[in-house]
Amino acid sequence: MPRLSALLLLALVSPALAGGPPADEDWPCPQRRTGAISRAAIWAGPEAQGRWEDDDAAAALARKLASRRTPIDEAGGLIAAFANQAGADKDKRLTLVFEGTLDLINSERAKVMASIARYARGQKALAARVRDDADKAADAQDSQGQGDITTPEALEKAHPELKWDKRIFDDRAQALTYVCESPVLLEKRAFALARALQEKL
Amino acid sequence: MTTLRNALRLALLAALFAGPAEAARIYITNEKSNDITVIDSDSLAVLQTVKAGRRPRGVRVSPDGKLLYVCASDEDGIQVFDTATMKLLRTLDSGPDPEQFAMNAAGDLLYIANEDNAQVTVLDVVKNQIVANVPVGVEPEGMALSPDGAVLVNTSETTNMAHFIDAKTFKRIDNVLVDKRPRYALFTPDGGKLWVSSEVGGTVSVIDARTRQLVKKLRFDVPGLTAEEVQPVGLRATRDGKTVFVALGPANRVAAVDAETFEIRKYILVGQRVWHMALTPDEKYLFTANGNSNDVTVIDVASLKAIKSLPVGQAPLGVASSPN
């Protein structure tokens, strides 16, 4: 029953999935999939000297700033306090804080993006399952001579288990709008922190 | 007596300086908070925020400085504000989804790109009447009118072309192929060249406006950035035509380009996701709208340095300056 699966598929394909870049099937977001945030995109300060992990106070501040639990409004105060106590190496150490913050945010962002891709693969698998189930249901109906089911609603009524999978699919598709925003939110955070650090150089 | 004389002298001096130093107004359209931020170019302070239609994008000030035109993209109209009071005077019929538009020197005709139906709407703003609907390439974006008013240019996102159109007969003169996703078109002040930014291609094409041959293709190798982070969008030229500023989107940089040698003089770090820009009438400052950091960066043109960030509404996109 190709017609039935086509109908169901139409009902299943969410706009977010349909609107994704065609070149990247695992990427369901309307936003472009981009690599890690480049240092140069947000930083006009000096090059880092040394590893940020080796400066305990700088590393602690970087962890605090990178954490989404720290409200962005508090960043300025935390950075000012650090700068006041940083001594003669202030610029060098603020640069280390920046390096640490960017590393941490980039690794969180990479995790978020990997889970978005995983999520998209899960959705595709779910869509395929619903399609298969629909085909099977339709075949069964054909063999039982129950006539033609031409609307998704009629099909769902005859096979309630299909409805459940479709509901999960729709819920996830809806959540995608929010999920797709998270890499962008992290980019905004990295930029705002870089700017606040540069102001103290 | 001496004090009085001094006071008079001071008052006279103040009056002298008040004249030429009259500040311009900078208008920013905020795409997501649906408002317009008004900035004083002298004090670099936000004067007021005015409610606009849904998704305000393209913005221009009339040549006499009295009217402000704003594309309300999701309302299929162009709103007209009185710049003296910032009151909404009327909404003009722009055709569907207006994003960018060009204006003639007299300020009575607008040429509006309608992204959804592949046409340019020519609108008489005095009569609020559509003069012509010009079919163009799919998904038209950038719009520019030559300084002499004879040639209209529209860029099409899907065909990757700059279409040259006779501004009187609305007949197609020529098509010039540019790089992917042409976004903005700008005539140099002498009308000799047309600059077209390609957002996805990452380049700016400089085209001889008379022969319509490509003169130069500019690339922007910002050290440390990946090619995909460089997405040229907004363009602005100084009146002498010597410098063109190119906004590079998610590179968070504005490139200052020598328009004669095509040498890139400087990449200036601004806010996040820089879209469009405007120069003050005295060309002392360049204002950039930064869509992701929700602010405006003020660049000192003489030193090419970012000197200030001003928080504005959500997702600022368009910038226009009053003519004086």
Side-chain angles (χ1 to χ4, degrees), chain B:
Chain B
M1 271 310 278
T2 329
T3 337
L4 187 64
R5 196 175 299 153
N6 279 343
L8 271 171
R9 213 174 269 157
L10 266 175
L12 207 68
L13 269 173
L16 267 175
F17 279 100
E22 196 179 327
R25 296 271 189 275
I26 308 296
Y27 305 93
I28 313 288
T29 51
N30 301 302
E31 219 182 335
K32 284 191 183 156
S33 50
N34 301 325
D35 46 26
I36 302 157
T37 308
V38 186
I39 297 168
D40 179 289
S41 77
D42 200 21
S43 64
L44 302 183
V46 171
L47 295 176
Q48 66 181 129
T49 303
V50 182
K51 202 177 164 302
R54 274 178 290 135
R55 204 165 183 213
R57 294 197 281 177
V59 57
R60 273 179 196 271
V61 183
S62 63
D64 62 7
K66 288 181 178 159
L67 301 170
L68 180 74
Y69 295 96
V70 176
C71 285
S73 298
D74 285 358
E75 291 181 16
D76 301 340
I78 290 194
Q79 296 185 309
V80 189
F81 292 86
D82 178 338
T83 53
T85 60
M86 282 312 285
K87 290 236 172 358
L88 179 65
L89 297 175
R90 58 186 192 276
T91 302
L92 305 169
D93 183 10
S94 64
D97 196 17
E99 181 179 343
Q100 289 182 28
F101 59 103
M103 188 189 292
N104 65 350
D108 57 352
L109 289 178
L110 301 187
Y111 306 86
I112 307 150
N114 299 118
E115 189 162 354
D116 286 355
N117 65 356
Q119 69 173 24
V120 169
T121 298
V122 184
L123 178 71
D124 183 319
V125 292
V126 183
K127 297 179 189 147
N128 189 11
Q129 212 170 66
I130 292 174
V131 179
N133 286 316
V134 187
V136 290
V138 183
E139 291 186 74
E141 278 266 357
M143 291 293 316
L145 186 69
S146 60
D148 63 4
V151 179
L152 188 65
V153 166
N154 162 254
T155 66
S156 153
E157 206 176 283
T158 309
T159 54
N160 299 322
M161 280 178 184
H163 303 295
F164 285 69
I165 299 159
D166 184 309
K168 297 242 155 30
T169 62
F170 301 119
K171 294 256 187 318
R172 192 87 60 90
I173 304 169
D174 209 345
N175 305 309
V176 179
L177 199 64
V178 293
D179 281 336
K180 262 174 104 180
R181 197 157 189 208
R183 192 74 196 220
Y184 196 85
L186 172 90
F187 275 99
T188 49
D190 64 0
K193 293 192 180 72
L194 180 83
W195 291 49
V196 177
S197 62
S198 292
E199 190 180 14
V200 173
T203 58
V204 168
S205 300
V206 183
I207 299 158
D208 184 308
R210 199 176 47 83
T211 64
R212 294 176 295 277
Q213 297 295 310
L214 187 74
V215 176
K216 177 82 186 174
K217 193 168 279 184
L218 285 164
R219 287 168 214 283
F220 304 90
D221 299 316
V222 188
L225 287 190
T226 59
E228 67 176 10
E229 282 172 306
V230 176
Q231 298 175 17
V233 280
L235 300 166
R236 284 284 176 186
T238 53
R239 252 191 308 270
D240 61 10
K242 287 189 174 152
T243 306
V244 175
F245 294 98
V246 184
L248 298 177
N252 308 332
R253 296 287 199 292
V254 168
V257 184
D258 184 316
E260 282 154 6
T261 64
F262 300 115
E263 176 206 352
I264 292 155
R265 289 169 59 203
K266 200 174 170 189
Y267 293 108
I268 307 151
L269 184 69
V270 292
Q272 204 170 14
R273 207 183 216 306
V274 52
W275 283 114
H276 293 290
M277 305 168 287
L279 284 156
T280 50
D282 60 8
E283 301 195 331
K284 197 174 162 196
Y285 299 125
L286 179 77
F287 286 73
T288 76
N290 312 317
N292 275 5
S293 47
N294 299 326
D295 68 336
V296 162
T297 302
V298 186
I299 292 171
D300 179 75
V301 173
S303 65
L304 297 179
K305 279 197 174 122
I307 56 162
K308 194 165 183 177
S309 152
L310 294 163
V312 293
Q314 299 292 307
L317 178 111
V319 192
S321 167
S322 60
N324 44 51

